[in-house]
Amino acid sequence: MKKAITLDGNNFADLAGFYDEVERNLTKGLDWKIGRNLDAYNDVLRGGFGVLEYQEPFTLTWINSEKSKTDLGWNATIPYLEKMLTTCHPDNIPHVEETIAHAKNGEGSTLFDDIVEITRDHEHIEFILS
């Protein structure tokens, strides 16, 4: 039987809280924490540690996702991108600055959109937003 995992948007209000929710539900039993970035989230979804075998099919339901869509919307995305400016390679600064300008106009993808896209890119995951 396919595993069913639920993330609850009521359990967090920011990106750090999202990562905590992922750890509580996808990496139980590990004696280390996942990286606090979207690449690490992508790795967790692949499996191979925590509660999933590598590429193990499972259902991931994100309840209260409308709350998360707001919490991880533009007000969270813009500071995330601005922080990225301080750590990205100098060659990437113009691109990040352009992305910030678009975000300030409500254009492009939010953190929520990026997380949803990353999750949907995994064919072994049945992903449900509710």
Side-chain angles (χ1 to χ4, degrees), residues 53-91:
E53 296 299 322
Y54 182 72
Q55 297 289 319
E56 178 181 351
F58 71 102
T59 300
L60 179 62
T61 303
W62 188 341
I63 62 173
N64 301 303
S65 61
E66 282 301 313
K67 175 185 176 299
S68 298
K69 186 174 185 174
T70 300
D71 291 341
L72 300 174
W74 298 117
N75 290 336
T77 302
I78 293 166
Y80 171 82
L81 293 169
E82 290 171 340
K83 183 177 180 189
M84 188 182 294
L85 275 178
T86 67
T87 60
C88 71
H89 189 278
D91 291 346

Side-chain angles (χ1 to χ4, degrees), residues 14 33 42 49 52 76 80 104 108 115 129:
D14 57 19
K33 293 197 174 282
N42 190 44
F49 52 90
L52 300 167
Y80 171 82
K104 287 181 177 180
I115 292 167
L129 294 172

Side-chain angles (χ1 to χ4, degrees), residues 96-108:
V96 175
E97 289 175 334
E98 181 179 348
T99 304
I100 291 168
H102 286 292
K104 287 181 177 180
N105 290 323
E107 301 166 351

